Amino acid sequence: HFATVNLGRLAERFEAGAVVDVAALIASGLVTKTNMKVKILGTGELGFKLTVKVHAISESAKAKIEARGGSVEVLDAPKVSA
């Protein structure tokens, strides 16, 4: 199970250039259950760059973040062997 956060909510709570990780989401009140993994969904718009570090993210949210020059790091991602 994931605690889900819409992309538009990140735009409301964080400033341009912020690093948005699980601790920051809990501190902002967007995530209240500290024992859950976090997934960002693509609903809403983002007008600036963010660095997002969460357990899962929708393709649309990832595309919107990267389109603004931001980056996405998926925590606990399975390692791809070469």
Side-chain angles (χ1 to χ4, degrees):
H1 290 88
F2 288 97
T4 58
V5 179
N6 288 321
L7 188 63
R9 300 287 282 155
L10 299 184
E12 294 170 6
R13 298 285 178 102
F14 294 95
E15 295 182 4
V19 174
V20 180
D21 58 13
V22 176
L25 289 165
I26 291 168
S28 74
L30 290 175
V31 173
T32 56
K33 295 184 178 177
T34 59
N35 63 338
M36 293 186 76
K37 293 185 176 188
V38 177
K39 180 173 184 175
I40 304 298
L41 302 178
T43 303
E45 293 303 320
L46 182 67
F48 49 82
K49 175 181 173 179
L50 287 176
T51 299
V52 179
K53 299 179 181 184
V54 292
H55 300 99
I57 189 162
S58 71
E59 286 298 319
S60 62
K62 184 173 191 264
K64 289 178 182 181
I65 291 166
E66 291 175 345
R68 294 294 181 193
S71 64
V72 174
E73 179 182 336
V74 177
L75 305 174
D76 302 327
K79 301 292 182 228
V80 177
S81 56

